[in-house]
Amino acid sequence: MTPISNAAMLVRDVQAYPTSFPVDPGDSVTLGVGRTIKRDAVIIKVTTEDGIIGWGEAHHGRCPGAVAHIANTTLKPLVVGCDSHNVTGIWERMYRRQLASHGMGAGACLAISGIDMALWDIRAKALGMPLYRLLGGASRPIPAYAGGVSLGYQEPRSLVEEARAHVEHGYQALKLRIGDTVTNDLLRVAAIREEFGDDLDILTDANTAYTLNDARAAMPVLDAHHVGWLEEPFPAHDYRSYQEARGYGLLPLAAGENHYTRFEFDRVIDDGAITILQPDLSKTGGITEALRVAALASTWKLPIHPHTSMTALNMAASVHFLAAIENGGYFEADVSHNNLFRDKMVDHAPFVIDANGFTRPLEGPGIGLEVDEQFLAAHPVIEGPAYV
């Protein structure tokens, strides 16, 4: 794409599309928040007066219709007519006029995240460069772990075979879903460690399903199996439990996908209990706010391992983000079965894993993906919970 002038590019329209598809029972995964029955997302389309289209993803928050409604009715008037280059100013306008003053909490933050991502996509497209370059980064290998909504509660031998396919693909790290029972959790971790040895980095995610007693029982054994981190044993706002549990073992506690804006991360970092930070570009306030979180974390020498969301947009944007920050860690590669948001909604794959388990950012302009609007029309929102 030929770069255009640096004149203002006014936003003409903002449109949010809540979208869903049912999960085939054979592809369903059970984890700490329940069994998957469908997948949801909110796709944000921002269009400038010049006709440049930017795409972003807002996390569904288990209520995609409501998140899309906030974007389409409350935030849209705050963005239309603004210069799309002024992403910081637009973020501040949305924050001040909505999140800071009238709340709506997580729902507003999710919607802001998707709009912000789309604006960064527009800026990089207008300049004819991939997003990572606009963010000040360089194309470099990013380590990836096999994650997403996968590797859930199943019989240990079955889990080993599912993991084997990812290890053979090149992954040198994977994340196991725990939060079932401590006994079952530890049997699964032990089976993976025994099968693949110490060269495989095992990470664990309890999806907020642990009690303090569960953590007290599990963490010493997770230490013995050299697990890399214990993610979200408790709800994000349960700061006291994180403080208590950090003394139960040596492995670090991880969280961040359900912490919103730099202000919540400021408390997380200051508390000192959570040392693996996992902001999600589609939840915490978009790319603009995630960059602030990364800078804040860098002053404490803390790594950023972003949580990735439902669709290819977040996945590709997360790799660009990691390539542009100094304290970037793992990319969470979605290895779930038949994720249409990853495989069918966009024009090509959002990431490629090499034989050594690394990926690189896409080289096309912007995020590097275009959304098939016919897909969105064919997959309207399915109301109701995604997990049961």
Side-chain angles (χ1 to χ4, degrees), residues 146 150-169 171 174-177 184-197 200 202 337:
S150 64
L151 297 165
Y153 303 165
Q154 53 189 291
E155 189 273 328
R157 293 313 307 172
S158 173
L159 182 64
V160 164
E161 292 311 308
E162 181 175 351
R164 188 184 311 282
H166 303 312
V167 172
E168 291 177 349
H169 188 76
Y171 288 101
L174 53 81
K175 187 164 75 179
L176 303 181
R177 300 291 178 167
N184 288 341
D185 293 342
L186 298 179
L187 285 173
R188 294 183 180 108
V189 171
I192 295 296
R193 177 59 74 208
E194 180 180 358
E195 184 69 26
F196 298 105
L200 180 69
I202 299 175
H337 297 293

Side-chain angles (χ1 to χ4, degrees), residues 64-77:
V67 175
H69 191 67
I70 293 172
N72 286 330
T73 61
T74 302
L75 298 179
K76 176 178 177 177

Side-chain angles (χ1 to χ4, degrees), residues 81-137:
C82 293
D83 180 3
S84 59
H85 280 305
N86 185 20
V87 291
T88 303
I90 293 174
W91 195 98
E92 182 69 9
R93 181 176 172 84
M94 292 189 290
Y95 174 75
R96 289 292 176 193
R97 297 288 185 89
Q98 180 59 46
L99 191 58
S101 60
H102 285 74
M104 295 298 290
C109 202
L110 302 180
I112 288 170
S113 299
I115 292 171
D116 182 82
M117 186 183 295
L119 290 171
W120 279 102
D121 190 33
I122 286 172
R123 288 194 70 209
K125 284 176 175 176
L127 296 170
M129 64 175 59
L131 178 59
Y132 72 85
R133 290 187 61 199
L134 179 61
L135 296 176

